Structures are given as C-alpha cells and as structure tokens.
Amino acid sequence: MKKILLILSIVLGAFSAQAKINVVATLSDLGSLAREIGGDNVSVTVLAKPTEDPHFVDARPSFVVALRSTDVLIDGGAELELGWLPPLLQNARNAKLDIGKPGRVQASQGVRLMNVPANVTRAAGDVHALGNPHFGVDPIIAKAIAQHIAQSFSAIDPANAAAYDANYKKFEAAINAKLQQWGAALLPFKGQHIAAYHDSWPYFGHRFGLEIDIFLEPKPGIPPSPSHLAEVIAQMKAQKIKAIIVEPYHDRKIAERVASATGAKVVDFAQYPGALPGTDNYIKLIDTLVSRLAAALK
Amino acid sequence: MRPIRRRFSRNVFNLLSHQFLLRFRNTPRPRFTNASRVRDGLRIHFLRRDSPRALIARILIGGTFADTINFLMTKFFFKTLVAMLLIASREGWAQTPTPAASATASDVAALREQVQALTETVKALQQQVKDQQATLEKANITGNQGPQNEGTPSVASAPLPTPLPGASAQESFPTTDSSVVANAPTAPGAPAVNANGTPTGQFPTTDESVVATPAGAISSATGAPPTETSTRSLTQPITIAGGGKNYMNISFDGMFALAGSSARDLSHIEVGDHDPQQRGFNARNIELAFDGAVDPYFEGFANIVFKLDNDNETEVEVEEAFMQTTNLPFGLQLKGGQFFAAFGRLNPMHPHVWDFADDALVHGRLLGPDGLRGVAAQVSWTLPTPWYSQLILASQNGRGSTGFSFRNPGDNGIFFSRETTDREARGLQDFVWIPRWENSVDLSPTQVVLAGVSGAFGSNETGANARTQIYGGDLFYKWKSAHAEGGFPFVKWQTEMMYRRFEAGRGVDESFPVAETFHDWGLYSQVLWGFRKGWVAGLRGDYLHMQNSRFTDDQDRQSRSRVSANLSWYPTEFSKLRLQYNHDFLESNFFLADREVDSVFLQFEFILGAHGAHKF
C-alpha cells in the first residue's frame, strides 16, 4: 500500500510540475481577471456558469476534482458562495487553499462592502450579513482584485513575478483609460433613477452616479408579488424611470410586463463575463453594460 | 440473567404459535408503545380472545393476494401521473398577477405625502451622518492602522469622488475612488487624483473608500482567522456588522407533520423514526446543529435531535457528533465520533433534506428506523482520477437500535422473534465494516450523474455466530438549468436498491426452534421536479421484499410496496411546506393478511440561524 501511494505521489508530482499554475475561480469575472494577470502562465477553470444565480450553484463532485489539484483559488468571499463552496473545500482537502495562504484570493478582502445591514434579520429577505457581495462590476474594485491576484501569483510563481506585475499594470492602465470612456458615456444620465429586478447593482450605480434603487423583488430573493409590482409600476411612472435591469437568471417575463405597463425598456445586464454575447472578458462586459444602459436611457 | 420462567413460556408459546396461529388478519394494534410489547400483546390477545371456532374461520377466510406489480402499473400509478400533469399545467396560470392595490386614491396620496416627508427627514439625517463619517474616516486613514471604526462602512455614505457634476464633457471621468479602494495609491503612474479633493479633470481611478490596500490583506499570511479580519482598517467594520466572530455556527431546525391515515397503527406503516408516528400532529425532528473549525487541523460537527413521542414526552438523541481532519495529504480524510454511515444516498442525509416526508421502505427496514449510524471511525480517499472517485471505509460498533441489522438486541431482548444475546464485541468480526465507492461525472454543463456501491458487514445478536451482510447500489442524476435562479428549475432522479442477507440464529441458548437465513431486498426510485422557483413536485415508488417465514411472526417482516406523490413549497430556503399522499400495499404472508393504507401528510419546517451548505 505504501509503495502504491509513493508511486502515485510521484506520478502526481510529475503532473503538477508542469509549467502553468492551475487557477480555479468560482465566478467568471474573477476568472477573467485571473487570465488578464496570468496570461499564458496560468490555466484558469471557472466553476459557476456565468448565466446562473451565483448564490445557488450545485456543489457538484467534478468541482472537487478541480479544487483538489489547483494551486490558486479565487472566490468572491463575503458569503457570496456560502451555499456551495464550503462542502467543496471540505472534500477537496487542499491545504494550499486555506484562508491566509497565498493560494487563496478572496476578492472581498480589502473591499468595503455596501449595504451592510445594521440588524441582521431574515425578515428582510435574503440579505447578506457582511454587505452586498456583487462588487465585481465596479472597475475600480476590479483593479484592486486584479492587484490582489497578481500578488498571489507572484508569491506562488516568483519566477514570473515580473510578468504578473507587468500584466497588472497593463490591466490597470486599460481600466483607467476605459473609465474615462465609460464615465463620459454615462455622464449625461448622472443622478437618474433606474429599476432592477434584484439589488445587485449598487456598486455599478455608485461608480457612475446612477441611482439603481427600485427593485421588482419586494425583498432580496423573494419573488415579485403582484401587489409589489403594482407599487413598483406606480412609482416608476411617477419617477419616469426609463430602464429595468434584469440578469440572465431572472424571470424576464415579469420585467417585460412591468416595462409594457410603464414604457420603460428592459435592459439585459449580467455581472459575469460570458453571460451576454460578445462579453468574453471583463472589459468587454463593462463596455457592453455601459453602452446598453446608455442606449436605453437616451 | 433472564428469568427461566419467561424462557419456558416463550418456548411453549413458539410451539403453540407454529401449530395454531396460521394466517390471521391484522387487527388494530393495542396501545403499546414498543414493538415487542406489541408483539407479545398481540399473541396473548389472540390466544385469549378468539374461540377455536373463530380461529378456524379466520384461517379459512385467509388473505387474498393482489399482485404488486399489476397494482403499481395500473390504478395508482395512473392517478399520480395525472396529478403530476395537473400540477404542471397549473404552473401556467399561477403567473398571472391579480390586481392588487385596493386602497382608494386619496389614501395613497396621503400615504405618499407622509412617506415623502419622512424621506426628507431621513435624507437630512443621512447628510449629518455622512459629514461625521467623512471626518472620522480621514482620521482613520491618516492613522493608517488606527483602531477600526465600528460604524457602518462608508461606501454608501462616502461622498462620490466624481468631480464635475455639470462640467464640460471634455473633462475626464475619474479612474480611482478611494471611497471604494483604500490606500490604493500603490497604483504606479496613476494620475494624481485627489479622491476627496478638487477635480483634476479625470474620472477617478482609485477609491480609498471601497478598497483597502491588498498588500495589507495578503501579507498577514499565517494564522489569519477565516474572515477578512486580517486586512487593515477598512474591512474591519464588515465583520463587526455581520458576524464572523463566532467560533461555531449554530442552527435550529423544527420539522413537524400533520398526518391523516386510514390505518390506526401509523407507527407501523411508517418505517422511519423521524416519520409521522400517529394520526394528528407529530414533532419527530427538532434539531440543534453546531459546526465550526476546531483548530487548524480539525473541524467539528454536532447534531442533537429532540423528538416528541406519541404521548408528547420528549426524547433526546445525539444524532451526530464528530470531528474530521481538514488537510491531510494525498486526498485523505479521517473522521471519528458518532455519525451516519456513508451507505447509499438516503442514509447519510438528515431527514430535513429528504425530498419526501417519510423514509423509504427499504432504508427503514434494512438499515433501521434510525438509519445506520454509530460511534465509528472512517477513512476516505479521493482518488487521483480525472473524474470524481472516492473510496470510504468506516468501522463502527453497530450495537443497539442504530445498528439495526447488526448487534441489535431488539426491543425487550427480542429480534425477529428470537431472544437475543447482548454482548461485548469479541473481536474485529463484531464491528460493522462499511465500505463505499462513489463516482461522479458531468454529462454536460447542466447534467451530473453520481453513482455508488456500498456494503455493511458484521454480526448480529440472534445467535452465537450469526452474520449480516448488506449490499447497496445508488444512482443519482440531476439536471439544472443554465439560467437557474435560486437553484430552480431542476429535475433530479434518485434510485437506491439494497439486499440483506441476515442469518437468524436460534437465539440465546438455542431457545428458538430453527435457524433461518433471510434474503431481503428492496428498492425505491424517485423523481423530483423543481418546476419554478420554490416549488417542487415529487413522485416515488417503493418496493420491499421480505423473505416469507413460517417461524417468525414479526410484523416488520411483511413485504410491501408504496407509491407517494408530493408537492413542496419553499417560501425561502429557510422554510418549507409539503403535502404528501402515500398509498401503501402490505402483502400477505404466513402470519399476516394483506391490506391497503392511504395516508396524507402535511409537513412544515423552519430553520433558524446558520444554514449549512448542502452537499451534492
């Protein structure tokens, strides 16, 4: 038995000694950032599909296989993956991914979360005790996550540290330049109110000076009730709201009904690259979001 | 030592029962609470009550036999199918909204005015808070590692660093924002944007109010507690507001059922200990669960269950309490304590995650009403294969009613009509050995299959060298939409089958007339369809074949089948309402006649506190 284990470990060691470092990202926005920073030196696996609800992903056993041999895990943190990541990590038994090790990047580290509830009660719906975890859509926060990822990669693969640093600087410069474009595109609509199916856009709104504060869900995670929708419609008419943001996993029919009752447009948004056509990386995703919203608000 | 008199009378009784007690009908159960007392009671009841003539009449009338498979394929299978279709078609209408707002226009206007007045005052207050926090924050940031401000974090409140509200479009969009990214200036060559200060003609690219310096986050590599506490000032308020300061998660789960049944002995119809046990209200699973990291090497889990018996007396059960390693090399894991054996799919799951209000027949009868669990040690190994493959081996005492088919002395020392021994383990052969091998592959990005084989081997208490072997196979398939919201819609199909070889010896001092070997087997198959967010419809078929015996009149050895259909509504993941219909068919055997039972359960459940993640 011991011999078999020894041979197996040697074989495994040989496999893992290949050049690329293995990276697992729970969500595709984190995966995209990892690709920007890692370039050809990393191979990235993304667990959740970009089109599905990130809170309710199945902890399927194949994810255990991915986590078992990976060098780096990038997760959103702030209880975003609370429903599915812990049992995966329990089964993966990969000490490199412990919190505090360089192989673990929690994107929420160092991010100041919005909407932290003063009182944690589930009577308020599916609120996050630590604050709203949908922060990836703020490009400035994305830069910070990218920097965090670059530090992790450098610690694990010091030989290529210079490349990671250079990639980070390139990404940062790209975001800085893009921010000028995005800011200019949305500037005319500063201060406008916008409706959304679910409260996943406070960071996006904060960045570009938009008030995304009317929600089709009466409380986070609670399906829209007819009476609540009636109120929303009245409010949207009164405030002349022009856009309703929905994500791929929301019930678009409900948003369409509200839109036809109010004259607003349904805007398909997504937090995760790959969920909308032509959004295979982070910058393209924000590009798409900004242009779609600007078109709808015109 | 047991009284000799009792042993003698038992032998006489056994003799009598084999001679005379052929085929009598089931009668309503007398009010006894445990199985063997009931059994004894029944025998006496019959011997005393019935005149010889009545007995003979009973024998002649004898049970009629209905063919199970025919039954399954015809009446009820069809009925439940129709029910499922109805549910499906109803899904369509459920979405049409009903016009709400019944208040008059003037009411609404008045309310709106009030709300506006209130929002204005709130805004004024918010402004005050903002100002105060801005000053506080400046103090904090300059202090760099100063004490953490305990207030709410300031993203929401910090002034947006966007310059130029009405300025010309030529001026650039800021590319930093210190209100989101703290101490971000590590950014090399970033344009000098004063986050809170005057506009420099650029959209800010940093934001100290949203992001703390990641350098601070990462440098404290060792001994970091499992939340963001290791970072510098800015993340700190998060943990204060939202917990993460606990050494363990605590949750409370209350599960209840209102039961109606055509049978008066529901506790005999329902095979699981957490299933409804009487007509009317049942509280069979009220549990406290604790879990958390013990230290850097272990994590711990405990589950204490409270049940109310049919006389509303509280029973307490240490259902699980175990520790397991967190980071052994080579994909190994050790586990020790009291826990459910990893046998099949249903056994290791807690009743509150079951898809039906009651236990599957084959599980309850072969592994026991409590499932197979006990004080044990387990080692598991994730194989280094490209697909998911895991080997598990556990060894447990297997003593008592939670080792039902093993070293179980039975109620009042009787099991399958034998007077049992109740002894210490003589050696390794007396432990229950439970191997399992499970494999899983993704058929497509939306479909997963998990299949496993399990075994449980040990000795039982019905004879000096009596052994028990149980084999099981399980298959689980799940499809979930790529656009799933809250985990819906999905379809999952689960099937399990088990076979038990049980050597029933002659009991203590060979007091029972014969030794027998029982070959018992059964299976269940269930389909669950989450057709819209929060709604699940389910259909299950059960079959259990218990080998017929002319010597053992145990009521639990009756072959039977069941069809169940249910509809569950989860208002959120923390509450549940479930309506279930069961049709049971109990086959006749040497001692018992056949009968059919209809039951309806309304199950309701709530969960408080941390809700652990679900395994696949």
Side-chain angles (χ1 to χ4, degrees):
Chain A
M1 188 64 190
K2 259 187 184 169
K3 255 188 187 167
I4 296 169
L5 277 182
L6 199 72
I7 292 166
L8 271 173
S9 64
I10 290 167
V11 172
L12 276 181
F15 274 116
S16 60
Q18 57 193 351
K20 288 189 175 185
I21 54 177
N22 289 312
V23 179
V24 170
T26 54
L27 302 163
S28 72
D29 55 341
L30 305 172
S32 171
L33 298 181
R35 283 191 196 99
E36 299 285 347
I37 303 303
D40 292 336
N41 295 322
V42 300
S43 93
V44 180
T45 308
V46 174
L47 301 184
K49 285 182 276 295
T51 48
E52 74 181 323
D53 187 342
H55 303 286
F56 294 90
V57 176
D58 279 337
R60 53 167 78 180
S62 62
F63 293 169
V64 172
V65 176
L67 287 169
R68 192 180 57 203
S69 53
T70 192
D71 303 300
V72 181
L73 167 64
I74 308 170
D75 64 323
E79 300 190 342
L80 178 61
E81 301 100 337
L82 188 67
W84 53 284
L85 191 58
L88 290 176
L89 286 172
Q90 219 173 60
N91 249 327
R93 302 156 197 180
N94 187 343
K96 286 186 278 188
L97 310 182
D98 289 350
I99 286 170
K101 297 267 176 70
R104 179 69 174 273
V105 179
Q106 279 198 305
S108 65
Q109 262 189 342
V111 175
R112 200 176 254 237
L113 300 188
M114 298 176 79
N115 306 348
V116 180
N119 283 311
V120 179
T121 167
R122 290 196 179 124
D126 195 5
V127 293
H128 291 272
L130 300 182
N132 192 314
H134 306 285
F135 48 77
V137 286
D138 179 348
I140 290 179
I141 292 180
K143 280 195 300 180
I145 299 169
Q147 190 181 14
H148 199 152
I149 292 171
Q151 285 170 346
S152 159
F153 287 179
S154 301
I156 281 166
D157 180 19
N160 291 313
Y164 300 133
D165 194 43
N167 284 344
Y168 168 67
K169 283 184 180 144
K170 211 170 95 191
F171 179 71
E172 189 193 30
I175 289 279
N176 287 352
K178 276 287 182 184
L179 268 173
Q180 309 307 319
Q181 272 184 32
W182 297 330
L186 291 177
L187 186 65
F189 316 110
K190 199 162 182 328
Q192 275 203 24
H193 291 262
I194 296 170
Y197 191 97
H198 178 81
D199 185 13
S200 355
W201 303 97
Y203 297 90
F204 188 82
H206 171 67
R207 180 56 48 227
F208 298 108
L210 305 165
E211 306 283 337
I212 306 172
D213 56 1
I214 300 171
F215 308 110
L216 303 196
E217 287 179 342
K219 287 169 180 175
I222 308 296
S225 60
S227 60
H228 177 74
L229 286 182
E231 282 170 36
V232 166
I233 289 170
Q235 197 186 351
M236 285 178 66
K237 276 182 181 161
Q239 297 193 21
K240 299 200 171 70
I241 305 287
K242 288 185 185 163
I244 306 169
I245 292 173
V246 293
E247 291 168 69
Y249 47 86
H250 292 148
D251 191 344
R252 200 175 192 278
K253 275 180 266 171
I254 292 177
E256 279 165 3
R257 264 208 322 269
V258 175
S260 68
T262 59
K265 280 184 200 143
V266 176
V267 188
D268 289 296
F269 256 39
Q271 301 172 54
Y272 303 105
L276 302 173
T279 60
D280 52 339
N281 69 34
Y282 182 82
I283 290 180
K284 283 186 192 165
L285 174 74
I286 306 294
D287 259 343
T288 306
L289 299 189
V290 168
S291 61
R292 283 190 179 192
L293 192 59
L297 292 177
K298 239 164 222 169
Chain B
M1 237 180 69
R2 296 194 167 85
I4 296 166
R5 202 162 60 95
R6 190 173 148 207
R7 200 172 294 167
F8 174 75
S9 65
R10 281 198 64 77
N11 278 340
V12 168
F13 172 75
N14 280 330
L15 208 76
L16 279 176
S17 63
H18 302 139
Q19 296 291 322
F20 301 116
L21 280 186
L22 305 171
R23 290 189 167 242
F24 51 80
R25 277 197 173 273
N26 269 324
T27 50
R29 249 179 145 185
R31 287 197 297 127
F32 289 99
T33 44
N34 73 44
S36 75
R37 266 167 67 206
V38 169
R39 248 182 334 261
D40 293 355
L42 267 178
R43 289 167 181 145
I44 295 158
H45 180 73
F46 274 104
L47 284 172
R48 278 197 195 141
R49 197 194 63 180
D50 287 348
S51 65
R53 241 164 75 189
L55 254 179
I56 291 162
R58 221 168 261 284
I59 293 160
L60 290 179
I61 293 161
T64 51
F65 188 86
D67 182 24
T68 325
I69 303 302
N70 272 347
F71 154 76
L72 269 177
M73 293 312 296
T74 55
K75 212 166 77 185
F76 283 92
F77 188 74
F78 182 72
K79 270 189 189 171
T80 38
L81 207 71
V82 169
M84 295 283 291
L85 285 174
L86 270 177
I87 290 157
S89 63
R90 216 171 280 167
E91 185 201 350
W93 327 325
Q95 300 215 351
T96 48
T98 52
S102 57
T104 62
S106 59
D107 282 352
V108 172
L111 272 173
R112 200 170 280 155
E113 267 174 30
Q114 281 184 16
V115 168
Q116 262 177 1
L118 277 173
T119 40
E120 265 164 32
T121 43
V122 168
K123 269 183 191 162
L125 283 171
Q126 272 179 340
Q127 191 51 45
Q128 281 182 18
V129 173
K130 269 184 197 174
D131 296 342
Q132 283 177 4
Q133 266 193 335
T135 46
L136 251 178
E137 220 163 75
K138 269 179 197 161
N140 262 354
I141 287 166
T142 45
N144 211 353
Q145 197 139 19
Q148 327 308 345
N149 47 349
E150 307 223 351
T152 49
S154 61
V155 170
S157 55
L160 239 188
T162 25
L164 50 111
S168 68
Q170 284 293 12
E171 287 178 281
S172 316
F173 196 73
T175 52
T176 62
D177 184 350
S178 62
S179 73
V180 285
V181 190
N183 304 353
T186 8
V193 176
N194 187 346
N196 298 315
T198 50
T200 58
Q202 287 270 316
F203 191 83
T205 52
T206 62
D207 184 346
E208 284 178 19
S209 72
V210 284
V211 187
T213 168
I218 222 173
S219 62
S220 57
T222 51
T227 42
E228 294 88 339
T229 45
S230 64
T231 53
R232 291 199 187 175
S233 60
L234 285 169
T235 53
Q236 206 65 351
I238 295 166
T239 52
I240 290 165
K245 295 269 187 198
N246 313 321
Y247 291 110
M248 64 179 179
N249 300 316
I250 303 174
S251 72
F252 180 87
D253 169 40
M255 197 165 74
F256 309 87
L258 173 60
S261 176
S262 64
R264 296 184 188 186
D265 53 343
L266 194 60
S267 61
H268 178 237
I269 300 300
E270 290 300 307
V271 300
D273 195 39
H274 300 286
D275 300 348
Q277 296 288 305
Q278 64 177 345
R279 290 171 170 182
F281 291 97
N282 290 270
R284 300 295 299 173
N285 195 79
I286 296 167
E287 63 183 50
L288 269 172
F290 309 89
D291 73 276
V294 176
D295 57 23
Y297 312 107
F298 298 103
E299 59 199 0
F301 181 90
N303 206 60
I304 314 297
V305 175
F306 303 89
K307 294 179 294 196
L308 299 179
D309 70 12
N310 290 355
D311 297 320
N312 223 39
E313 295 294 325
T314 306
E315 296 169 24
V316 183
E317 188 174 87
V318 180
E319 193 166 61
E320 290 198 286
F322 62 84
M323 63 198 283
Q324 64 185 17
T325 60
T326 49
N327 49 16
L328 287 189
F330 308 119
L332 290 167
Q333 187 175 60
L334 295 172
K335 182 172 174 179
Q338 160 91 349
F339 55 87
F340 280 114
F343 188 109
R345 266 197 82 73
L346 210 51
N347 192 64
M349 286 184 185
H350 288 255
H352 92 97
V353 294
W354 287 355
D355 295 309
F356 286 79
D358 52 1
D359 198 357
L361 294 176
V362 64
H363 177 253
R365 284 288 188 252
L366 301 195
L367 295 187
D370 267 310
L372 180 58
R373 66 188 158 89
V375 188
Q378 175 179 296
V379 58
S380 60
W381 177 40
T382 325
L383 276 67
T385 44
W387 74 94
Y388 172 81
S389 182
Q390 179 161 243
L391 283 171
I392 303 167
L393 178 65
S395 174
Q396 71 174 44
N397 280 346
R399 199 173 181 186
S401 64
T402 60
F404 184 75
S405 295
F406 299 95
R407 289 167 56 216
N408 177 16
D411 291 322
N412 287 358
I414 310 290
F415 192 75
F416 290 165
S417 303
R418 273 95 173 153
E419 206 161 332
T420 53
T421 57
D422 189 6
R423 60 189 171 219
E424 291 285 315
R426 291 162 298 180
L428 287 179
Q429 79 274 15
D430 275 353
F431 287 82
V432 183
W433 296 88
I434 307 157
R436 174 171 172 78
W437 183 33
E438 59 185 19
N439 290 278
S440 170
V441 288
D442 291 359
L443 298 180
S444 78
T446 54
Q447 299 177 84
V448 188
V449 165
L450 177 69
V453 285
S454 319
F457 312 106
S459 52
N460 67 57
E461 299 282 309
T462 60
N465 295 302
R467 306 281 299 165
T468 306
Q469 291 103 26
I470 307 177
Y471 302 87
D474 55 276
L475 185 64
F476 177 65
Y477 163 89
K478 182 168 183 181
W479 167 84
K480 197 172 94 174
S481 162
H483 291 68
E485 184 195 9
F488 294 85
F490 66 81
V491 172
K492 54 186 185 180
W493 175 51
Q494 178 173 323
T495 298
E496 237 179 298
M497 58 187 306
M498 292 178 203
Y499 160 75
R500 175 177 70 184
R501 183 179 176 277
F502 189 95
E503 295 174 4
R506 294 186 56 196
V508 163
D509 297 340
E510 317 240 301
S511 50
F512 196 77
V514 291
E516 300 169 276
T517 301
F518 297 130
H519 301 275
D520 306 325
W521 62 274
L523 60 87
Y524 74 90
S525 187
Q526 62 187 40
V527 180
L528 278 301
W529 175 32
F531 52 93
R532 59 178 298 193
K533 193 177 176 187
W535 289 87
V536 186
L539 184 63
R540 178 179 70 182
D542 263 291
Y543 179 70
L544 175 69
H545 175 85
M546 296 294 248
Q547 185 166 315
N548 208 344
S549 166
R550 285 168 175 264
F551 305 101
T552 307
D553 66 337
D554 194 314
Q555 282 203 51
D556 294 348
R557 294 203 50 81
Q558 198 167 6
S559 293
R560 51 191 292 193
S561 52
R562 172 188 283 170
V563 178
S564 316
N566 73 12
L567 181 66
S568 308
W569 176 43
Y570 298 81
T572 68
E573 50 187 312
F574 304 104
S575 55
K576 174 173 78 190
L577 279 176
R578 172 175 287 157
L579 186 64
Q580 180 170 325
Y581 166 73
N582 278 7
H583 182 84
D584 279 277
F585 179 80
L586 287 79
E587 295 177 19
S588 59
N589 65 18
F590 197 71
F591 294 98
L592 301 167
D594 64 315
R595 59 172 168 154
E596 297 187 23
V597 177
D598 293 293
S599 309
V600 176
F601 308 121
L602 177 64
Q603 190 185 36
F604 47 103
E605 184 193 358
F606 69 91
I607 295 170
L608 292 175
H611 182 215
H614 285 164
K615 294 167 77 174
F616 187 74

